[in-house]
Structure formats: structure tokens, C-alpha cells
Amino acid sequence: MHGREIASDATGSERADNGKVLLEQRRRTALDRLNSELSDYRDCRVVYDAKHTEQLSVPADKIDPSSLEDFLFDDDAVYGFFVAVQYAAETNPSGKVNRKMFSKTLHRSYQKLTLLKIKHLDELIRLHLHYGLPLTDLWNMFKNCRTVTDVDQ
């Protein structure tokens, strides 16, 4: 008889089972390590307020930073952002929408709020899908950017 006889004994089966167990243990260890590394970001929340209008751009009167900041504190979030297709006078540093983001009231600073456009959100999602955008980069953007011009740069 030509060919090889295939033996199926208990030790071969046990080895296969042990291999599966080892792979599962390695997978769990890797997941535990990843979860540990992400623990700093796991409970970080971001709140947003999506704006819509029939006009070409959202007027500054529809943007209420104090309301979003209240929501940020109530929800124990780290950052908040408005999102719209376009804001009125968004590129004008002295435009009303930008002035609102830099309030000079005693109790409000809005330092954790950002104006994003839909195209920015789309770009962030694409970057994440194609390159795995790290959370630290996202947090840096929220920390350093308040206006559309800041985000564009």
C-alpha cells in the first residue's frame, strides 16, 4: 500500500486542544493589556450639538456655548463640540460666532469647546478608518482648537 497512514490518537487531539487554549490565553492577555493602556481614555466622554439650518450657514445666534458647556459638565464629559456644514463669519476672527467661543465672563471660559464642520468630522472618521487615528491626537485637537480656523490649520 502506497501512501501514509493518518493516525488519530488522543495525544494529537490533546495537542490541538492545548494549542487552542494557548491561543485563547494569549488573545485574552493582549486584550487585557490593551484595555489597561486605554483605561485613561475609556471613560472620557465628548458631547456635541449638531446644528442645521435652511440657510447657507448656521447663524451665530444658534450657537450657545454656555448651554453646551452645561451639558459637558452635567454629563461629566472632557470636551464638547458644535458641528455644522458651515458657520456664519466662521473665518472672521472678530465674527460673532468666534467671539462667542472666547467669552470673557467670569464663570465661563469655553476652553473645552470646539467649532467643527461636517467636513472636519468626515476627515476625522476617514483618518481613523485608514490610519487608526489615536485618541491622543484627537484630544490634542480638542485641547488646542476652538474655532473653524484653528481646526483647519
Side-chain angles (χ1 to χ4, degrees):
M1 178 174 183
H2 295 90
R4 228 183 318 176
E5 185 176 311
I6 300 175
S8 113
D9 61 334
T11 56
S13 176
E14 287 173 7
R15 278 189 231 138
D17 288 344
N18 286 340
K20 289 178 186 175
V21 169
L22 285 174
L23 283 175
E24 180 62 22
Q25 287 174 344
R26 287 181 186 154
R27 186 183 72 77
R28 285 185 185 172
T29 301
L31 284 174
D32 289 344
R33 188 172 44 249
L34 179 63
N35 284 334
S36 173
E37 291 170 3
L38 293 177
S39 66
D40 291 342
Y41 299 107
R42 181 178 310 142
D43 294 329
C44 293
R45 295 182 180 155
V46 177
V47 294
Y48 68 93
D49 186 359
K51 296 299 181 181
H52 172 72
T53 182
E54 297 298 322
Q55 302 167 7
L56 294 176
S57 59
V58 174
D61 293 334
K62 287 190 90 175
I63 304 297
D64 184 5
S66 63
S67 172
L68 186 58
E69 190 173 66
D70 288 342
F71 185 45
L72 183 140
F73 289 124
D74 290 347
D75 205 39
D76 198 26
V78 179
Y79 294 106
F81 64 91
F82 292 97
V83 63
V85 172
Q86 187 172 334
Y87 301 94
E90 65 189 30
T91 58
N92 181 350
S94 60
K96 188 174 181 180
V97 71
N98 290 325
R99 287 194 323 266
K100 284 180 125 181
M101 295 303 288
F102 292 95
S103 171
K104 296 185 185 191
T105 63
L106 182 62
H107 302 289
R108 303 285 186 172
S109 66
Y110 311 134
Q111 290 180 0
K112 295 185 173 192
L113 302 181
T114 304
L115 291 172
L116 287 180
K117 292 171 65 170
I118 296 290
K119 74 174 191 172
H120 296 139
L121 196 54
D122 182 56
E123 186 176 341
L124 290 171
I125 291 168
R126 288 177 194 267
L127 283 171
H128 179 68
L129 288 174
H130 294 288
Y131 305 106
L133 181 68
L135 285 174
T136 51
D137 290 350
L138 195 58
W139 292 151
N140 284 335
M141 182 202 67
F142 283 125
K143 181 180 177 183
N144 297 314
C145 300
R146 282 204 220 167
T147 66
V148 170
T149 304
D150 294 339
V151 177
D152 282 339
Q153 295 172 353

